[in-house]
């Protein structure tokens, strides 16, 4: 059998099946129409002698009525389910809204606490910067200047004010951080100056005669003291009050042995009334290094150390440079 004959045979078979299915369908439709035209009689017989009531209803009408009822029930069920779903969604939204309100209240409390810490940090850093430099122009508070934002009380901010308060805090943190970096830079620059400045007690003792005018016990006259006389035990160690170089060592009847030390930035210190000297001229010394030992002279009948600080050729009050704490 060739292909043409096979296709022709397949066509006639499909055509036969189609006609057979169409015939069966026509028969079923005809039977359904016939059945639908049949009538069902419903009789209503009253107990009294009234006339009997007859209702003639076709099966087709009954089928349409029942189908309509089923469709209405299906639509009603869908509406009920949809309404239930909407109620469930509204309930979930209400719960979510309550949770959002609680989270918002908690966030406000955290923002208030953060604001207090930022304000404390900013104020203290600004005050320290002002004391170090004397310049308060950089200590700007709040966004756009030094005026504080008027956003209501600290615990009851106006709606949406948290955003502006956060912006203000970010600005103040940035300013405080910049000031902190400048403070660190200033302190690093001054650290070397402080290290080279005479700032400790040269000997353990007490102030016998302060800087300025005093009554000289030897001459019974009022003299001017260019330094500080510190009473101490005989032989007490005398230490350098700052690192430097010994540029002169000598002895006189009025001062006893003395040591003069030169420091950076023009500082000079003088230690007199020494009984013995432990260092040599041109020797590099460090802070707290022993220079000699306490003695006495004709001008100081008591065991004491005469201590002077000079800036260039000018003598200044040493007491202002002492840490005033003895170990």
């Amino acid at each position: 059998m060739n292909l043409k004959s096979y296709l022709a045979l397949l066509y006639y078979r499909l055509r036969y099946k189609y006609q057979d299915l169409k015939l069966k369908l026509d028969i079923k439709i005809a039977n359904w129409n016939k059945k639908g035209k049949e009538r069902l009689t419903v009789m209503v017989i009253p107990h009294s002698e009234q006339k009997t009531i007859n209702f003639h209803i076709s099966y087709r009408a009954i089928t349409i009525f029942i189908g309509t009822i089923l469709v209405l029930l299906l639509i009603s069920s869908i509406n009920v389910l949809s309404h239930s779903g909407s109620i469930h969604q509204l309930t979930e939204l209400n719960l979510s809204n309550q949770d959002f309100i609680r989270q918002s209240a908690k966030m406000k409390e955290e923002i208030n606490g953060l604001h207090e810490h930022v304000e404390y940090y900013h104020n203290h850093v600004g005050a320290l910067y002002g004391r170090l430099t004397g310049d308060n122009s950089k200590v700007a508070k709040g966004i756009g200047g030094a005026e504080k934002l008027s956003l209501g009380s600290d615990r009851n901010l106006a709606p949406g004010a948290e955003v502006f308060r956060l912006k203000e805090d970010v600005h103040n943190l940035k300013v405080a951080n910049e000031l902190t970096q400048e403070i660190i830079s200033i302190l690093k620059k001054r650290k070397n100056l402080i290290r080279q400045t005479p700032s400790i007690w040269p000997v353990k003792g007490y102030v016998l005669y302060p800087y300025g005018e005093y009554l000289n016990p030897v001459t019974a006259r009022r003299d001017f003291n260019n330094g500080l006389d510190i009473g101490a035990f005989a032989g007490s160690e005398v230490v350098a009050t700052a690192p430097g170089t010994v540029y002169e060592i000598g002895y006189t009847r009025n001062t006893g042995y003395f040591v003069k030390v030169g420091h950076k930035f023009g500082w000079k210190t003088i230690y007199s009334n020494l009984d013995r000297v432990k260092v040599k001229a041109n020797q590099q010394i460090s802070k707290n290094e022993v220079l000699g030992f306490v003695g006495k002279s004709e001008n100081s009948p008591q065991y004491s150390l005469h201590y002077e600080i000079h800036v260039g050729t000018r003598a200044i009050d040493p007491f202002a440079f002492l840490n005033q704490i003895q170990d």
Side-chain angles (χ1 to χ4, degrees):
M1 181 182 295
N2 56 20
L3 179 60
K4 186 176 180 181
S5 301
Y6 175 76
L7 293 176
L9 179 61
L10 182 61
Y11 168 73
Y12 286 114
R13 286 180 178 178
L14 293 175
R15 183 179 179 184
Y16 172 76
K17 288 184 178 182
Y18 168 73
Q19 291 176 351
D20 184 56
L21 290 174
K22 183 179 179 182
L23 179 61
K24 290 179 179 180
L25 182 61
D26 291 339
I27 293 173
K28 287 184 178 181
I29 292 174
N31 291 334
W32 185 78
N33 289 331
K34 183 178 179 181
K35 188 72 177 178
K37 291 178 180 180
E38 294 180 358
R39 293 189 174 188
L40 180 65
T41 302
V42 179
M43 299 179 65
V44 180
I45 303 174
H47 292 285
S48 61
E49 294 180 355
Q50 293 181 359
K51 185 178 179 182
T52 301
I53 300 174
N54 297 325
F55 293 98
H56 301 285
I57 304 174
S58 65
Y59 283 104
R60 181 179 297 176
I62 294 173
T63 302
I64 293 173
F65 177 75
I66 293 174
T68 303
I69 295 298
L70 292 175
V71 171
L72 291 176
L73 288 174
L74 179 62
I75 294 173
S76 300
S77 300
I78 293 173
N79 289 333
V80 169
L81 292 175
S82 177
H83 182 67
S84 300
S86 299
I87 293 176
H88 180 69
Q89 290 179 355
L90 289 174
T91 304
E92 289 185 348
L93 287 174
N94 186 34
L95 293 175
S96 300
N97 185 49
Q98 293 177 359
D99 184 64
F100 173 75
I101 293 173
R102 287 193 297 268
Q103 295 293 334
S104 298
K106 185 177 180 181
M107 184 185 70
K108 287 182 180 180
E109 293 180 358
E110 292 178 353
I111 289 176
N112 288 331
L114 176 63
H115 177 75
E116 292 176 359
H117 285 83
V118 170
E119 191 171 19
Y120 177 84
Y121 173 62
H122 178 273
N123 291 341
H124 281 70
V125 170
L128 177 59
Y129 181 83
R131 283 196 293 268
L132 283 175
T133 63
D135 180 15
N136 293 319
S137 61
K138 293 185 178 181
V139 189
K141 185 180 180 183
I143 300 174
E147 296 183 358
K148 191 174 181 179
L149 293 177
S150 300
L151 301 176
S153 63
D154 289 340
R155 296 296 178 184
N156 188 21
L157 296 177
E162 292 87 356
V163 176
F164 295 97
R165 169 156 284 184
L166 284 174
K167 289 182 178 180
E168 180 187 25
D169 289 340
V170 169
H171 170 77
N172 289 340
L173 276 177
K174 183 178 179 181
V175 172
N177 181 61
E178 293 175 354
L179 294 180
T180 301
Q181 297 301 321
E182 290 192 28
I183 289 172
I184 293 173
S185 177
I186 292 171
L187 291 178
K188 285 182 178 179
K189 292 178 181 178
R190 295 187 180 181
K191 185 178 181 180
N192 190 38
L193 175 62
I194 294 172
R195 187 185 295 114
Q196 302 296 330
T197 301
S199 58
I200 62 173
W201 285 76
V203 67
K204 293 181 181 179
Y206 56 93
V207 176
L208 190 60
Y209 300 113
Y211 175 87
E213 288 189 0
Y214 76 107
L215 182 62
N216 192 316
V218 177
T219 63
R221 296 178 181 176
R222 297 196 65 83
D223 292 334
F224 190 87
N225 190 359
N226 287 328
L228 194 68
D229 289 280
I230 303 173
F233 290 108
S236 297
E237 291 183 342
V238 177
V239 299
T241 56
T245 305
V246 177
Y247 69 90
E248 185 177 352
I249 297 176
Y251 174 85
T252 66
R253 294 178 61 186
N254 292 331
T255 63
Y257 285 102
F258 63 86
V259 175
K260 297 182 179 181
V261 180
H263 311 278
K264 289 185 178 180
F265 307 109
W267 297 107
K268 294 178 183 179
T269 54
I270 301 174
Y271 311 81
S272 305
N273 291 344
L274 301 179
D275 180 60
R276 287 182 294 127
V277 176
K278 193 177 178 180
V279 294
K280 298 179 181 180
N282 299 321
Q283 179 179 334
Q284 297 288 331
I285 58 172
S286 58
K287 195 171 187 176
N288 265 322
E289 185 173 344
V290 177
L291 303 176
F293 304 92
V294 172
K296 61 182 179 177
S297 63
E298 295 180 2
N299 284 348
S300 299
Q302 296 177 263
Y303 286 97
S304 63
L305 171 71
H306 180 75
Y307 175 59
E308 296 182 14
I309 296 179
H310 292 249
V311 178
T313 59
R314 179 188 174 192
I316 58 177
D317 186 0
F319 192 78
F321 292 83
L322 301 181
N323 57 21
Q324 304 185 38
I325 299 176
Q326 301 189 50
D327 297 332

